[in-house]
C-alpha cells in the first residue's frame, strides 16, 4: 500500500503541474483576439488541446492507481478476517 500511496502522490504532483500549464494556456487563449491573428490563435488552440490531453492522461493514471489501492486494501482486509 505504501508503494501505491507514493505513486498516487507523485501522480498528483504531475496532475497539478499539467493542470496549471493547461489553465495558464486556456486563460491566455481566452484573452487572444482570434480575428486579429487567426493563425496564431489556431496554433495556441492546438497546443491548449494537447495540454488538456495531458490533464486527462494524468487523471486516468490517478484513477487507475486509486482502483489498484482499493483492490489491494480489500486484499489486505480479507486477510485480517
Amino acid at each position: 500500500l505504501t508503494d501505491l500511496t507514493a505513486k498516487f502522490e507523485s501522480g498528483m504532483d504531475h496532475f497539478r503541474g499539467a493542470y496549471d500549464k493547461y489553465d495558464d494556456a486556456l486563460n491566455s487563449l481566452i484573452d487572444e483576439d482570434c480575428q486579429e491573428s487567426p493563425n496564431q490563435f489556431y496554433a495556441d488552440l492546438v497546443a491548449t488541446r494537447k495540454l488538456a490531453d495531458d490533464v486527462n492522461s494524468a487523471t486516468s493514471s490517478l484513477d487507475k492507481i486509486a482502483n489498484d489501492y482499493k483492490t489491494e486494501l480489500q486484499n489486505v482486509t480479507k486477510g485480517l478476517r
Side-chain angles (χ1 to χ4, degrees), residues 25-78:
L26 183 61
N27 286 325
S28 178
L29 187 65
I30 290 170
D31 291 337
E32 284 187 40
D33 185 348
C34 64
Q35 292 180 337
E36 181 179 307
S37 183
N39 291 336
Q40 183 61 47
F41 179 82
Y42 183 74
D44 291 343
L45 177 62
V46 169
T48 302
R49 286 178 178 164
K50 166 75 171 87
L51 293 172
D53 289 342
D54 293 344
V55 171
N56 184 50
S57 177
T59 303
S60 295
S61 178
L62 286 171
D63 185 55
K64 183 186 179 323
I65 295 168
N67 284 328
D68 291 347
Y69 189 92
K70 178 183 174 184
T71 300
E72 189 64 28
L73 186 60
Q74 288 172 338
N75 290 339
V76 168
T77 56
K78 282 180 188 175

